[in-house]
Amino acid sequence: MSTGSGAASAPAPAPHDTPTAPDTPRRRSSMFSSLRIRNYRLFFLGQVVSNIGTWMQRIAQDWLVLSLTGSSAAVGITTALQFLPMLLFGLYGGVLVDRLRKRPTLAVTQIAMALTSLALAVLTLTGRVEVWHIYVAAFALGLATVVDNPARQSFVSELVGPGQLQNAVSLNSANFQSARLVGPAVAGLLITGVGTGWAFLLNGLSFVAPLTGLLLMRARELHVVERAPRGKGQLREGLRYVAGRPELIWPIALVGFMGTFAFNFPVYLSAFADDVFHGDAGVYSMFNTLMAVGSVSGALLAARRGTARLRLLIVAALAFGALEIVAAASPALWMFALLMIPLGLFAMTVNVTTNTAIQMSTDPAVRGRVMALYMMVFLGGSPVGAPVVGWITDTYGARAGLAAGGAVAVLAAAVIGLILARVGGLRLSIGWHRGHPQVRFVPRERQEALAPVA
């Protein structure tokens, strides 16, 4: 989802894959420019189908757990089990990805996830499903994700090259969130019409699309990165690489806090749909669909931007946290539902800006390990955060749980924003511009030059 040492308002540097003159201006790219590349187009189309199935399964899985147990904490446990493997093994997945060829690796992970969904479909359709079956399926899916996520993130640069990386990352996010417009709606219809098992079945079959796309790609058109040789200390090497770069470690820390406490939407939205507004699966699906509308808008806006600014990351995180607090106090269903749109927009801005800045600031030789660390922190925080926010939601109510998540996001964004400003040699400047107050970060030297002479 910067320049030198953590400049909070500077654009990400030119990708390591190719040298670019430092003074070369960045031009705003066409919103869909990376789709002109055949291999990426095949990848994109395959993901459209698979992502719709993924969102169908997410909604069906959360609602099935809630139906079987009546507990938001149980939904949180399911989410935690799905992301626990990323927390435990995510870094090792990154080491493997840097050693392996990305395309065959992705084929294996897609097959594994398809089999998991089909097994859950059989259990549900035959009426034998129990909560522990869903827990096991969630954990198995998480194991496949340990390798799939960093491989998929790294594979994008091989599909499009450095020049289209920002655009392709943004379109991937738009793809995933566009599926969120369709998947939850279809899942709601299936759940209320024929049952959750059919959503699991269709998700399992949807993996045929990305597998077909991988098989049809032209290997000679890939921007293949030299694989890391097998050796000792590669995990420590990746950690040292990130630790020495503020423009990597602090954005990762921020999305870690947000992913752990603020992005637990399965817990929050299912509780609001069921306990606060006394709705059914259709209301839960509506919340997810409206959030997807904002997310798609955020991703498409990111696709038009030519840079990934850390200043934008901090502002978006602050806005997201504040909106969660406002949503927690919303008295009416329609008001809460409408707030899902800007929440989705700012959440996606945080995700895309972080992902893009990290990929463009990372040497391709260690990109798998860096992206694995990013995904481990972002997704792996859920095993810690989901049960906690589920307990808060069950004990103190859905409003308290959502407000607590928003407060964590605001506090983390404020603190990390100040750290990045200090590391980047920036200071807060308060003044007037065209008759309006203006608050911004400026370089220390510039602020000193503007200071009045005694």
Side-chain angles (χ1 to χ4, degrees):
M1 294 170 275
S2 48
T3 58
S5 300
S9 61
H16 287 78
D17 308 59
T18 184
T20 303
D23 297 328
T24 301
R26 291 181 180 272
R27 290 179 292 180
R28 182 168 295 190
S29 62
S30 167
M31 185 177 290
F32 303 103
S33 57
S34 54
L35 286 176
R36 300 185 189 121
I37 301 170
R38 180 182 181 275
N39 282 345
Y40 179 72
R41 192 162 59 247
L42 288 169
F43 178 81
F44 184 90
L45 293 174
Q47 291 300 308
V48 167
V49 178
S50 181
N51 286 336
I52 290 173
T54 296
W55 278 111
M56 289 170 57
Q57 172 143 335
R58 284 192 178 189
I59 301 302
Q61 175 180 279
D62 296 338
W63 198 258
L64 181 59
V65 171
L66 195 63
S67 300
L68 291 173
T69 65
S71 170
S72 294
V75 178
I77 291 171
T78 307
T79 303
L81 287 170
Q82 185 163 330
F83 297 121
L84 181 61
M86 181 64 71
L87 180 63
L88 297 176
F89 312 117
L91 291 176
Y92 296 99
V95 172
L96 283 175
V97 167
D98 280 337
R99 292 176 181 174
L100 300 173
R101 289 189 299 157
K102 307 300 185 298
R103 188 160 60 137
T105 300
L106 283 171
V108 172
T109 59
Q110 298 291 295
I111 292 171
M113 289 189 283
L115 292 175
T116 301
S117 299
L118 293 173
L120 191 56
V122 171
L123 289 170
T124 307
L125 291 171
T126 57
R128 299 177 181 176
V129 68
E130 299 179 19
V131 175
W132 71 268
H133 292 144
I134 305 172
Y135 288 166
V136 171
F139 188 78
L141 187 63
L143 286 174
T145 303
V146 167
V147 176
D148 182 80
N149 259 326
R152 192 155 29 86
Q153 299 283 345
S154 302
F155 190 50
V156 173
S157 64
E158 295 192 9
L159 289 169
V160 301
Q164 294 291 341
L165 182 58
Q166 160 94 6
N167 183 262
V169 170
S170 301
L171 288 183
N172 280 352
S173 299
N175 185 334
F176 186 70
Q177 297 302 328
S178 296
R180 194 175 183 177
L181 294 171
V182 180
V186 176
L189 292 173
L190 289 172
I191 293 169
T192 56
V194 294
T196 55
W198 291 98
F200 300 139
L201 177 62
L202 290 178
N203 179 49
L205 296 176
S206 72
F207 286 97
V208 172
L211 285 168
T212 302
L214 290 170
L215 290 172
L216 292 176
M217 288 178 186
R218 297 169 181 164
R220 65 180 181 278
E221 295 178 8
L222 294 172
H223 301 257
V224 179
V225 175
E226 184 177 353
R227 287 178 284 161
R230 183 183 298 272
K232 294 183 179 180
Q234 290 178 321
L235 182 56
R236 291 191 299 272
E237 178 188 357
L239 292 174
R240 283 196 300 268
Y241 182 88
V242 173
R245 289 165 172 77
E247 72 274 18
L248 295 180
I249 194 169
W250 289 115
I252 289 175
L254 175 58
V255 297
F257 280 108
M258 297 187 71
T260 301
F261 299 105
F263 284 171
N264 277 290
F265 300 120
V267 178
Y268 296 138
L269 299 187
S270 61
F272 266 84
D274 189 40
D275 299 332
V276 177
F277 298 118
H278 308 293
D280 56 12
V283 175
Y284 180 43
S285 297
M286 178 186 68
F287 291 158
N288 280 277
T289 300
L290 289 172
M291 182 169 283
V293 171
S295 299
V296 171
S297 301
L300 292 177
L301 287 173
R304 288 186 60 83
R305 287 193 293 268
T307 58
R309 294 180 179 272
L310 296 183
R311 177 176 61 188
L312 176 62
L313 169 63
I314 299 301
V315 171
L318 286 169
F320 174 84
L323 280 170
E324 275 203 334
I325 295 172
V326 172
S330 298
L333 172 62
W334 67 267
M335 186 181 298
F336 182 85
L338 286 179
L339 283 170
M340 294 300 101
I341 297 175
L343 272 172
L345 188 149
F346 286 113
M348 183 51 53
T349 302
V350 169
N351 291 345
V352 172
T353 304
T354 307
N355 190 312
T356 306
I358 290 173
Q359 290 216 47
M360 296 180 72
S361 302
T362 302
D363 189 317
V366 294
R367 186 171 285 153
R369 280 163 282 179
V370 173
M371 294 310 297
L373 176 62
Y374 162 63
M375 298 307 297
M376 184 193 76
V377 172
F378 182 38
L379 300 179
S382 292
V384 178
V388 173
V389 300
W391 175 80
I392 294 173
T393 299
D394 280 342
T395 305
Y396 300 102
R399 297 188 186 277
L402 185 61
V408 170
V410 169
L411 182 61
V415 171
I416 290 175
L418 290 173
I419 291 172
L420 284 171
R422 184 175 181 82
V423 171
L426 303 176
R427 288 184 180 178
L428 186 67
S429 172
I430 302 176
W432 289 83
H433 179 69
R434 296 181 180 177
H436 299 284
Q438 184 178 64
V439 180
R440 57 179 177 166
F441 285 104
V442 299
R444 286 194 179 96
E445 297 78 3
R446 181 178 176 185
Q447 189 178 49
E448 291 167 0
L450 294 174
V453 179

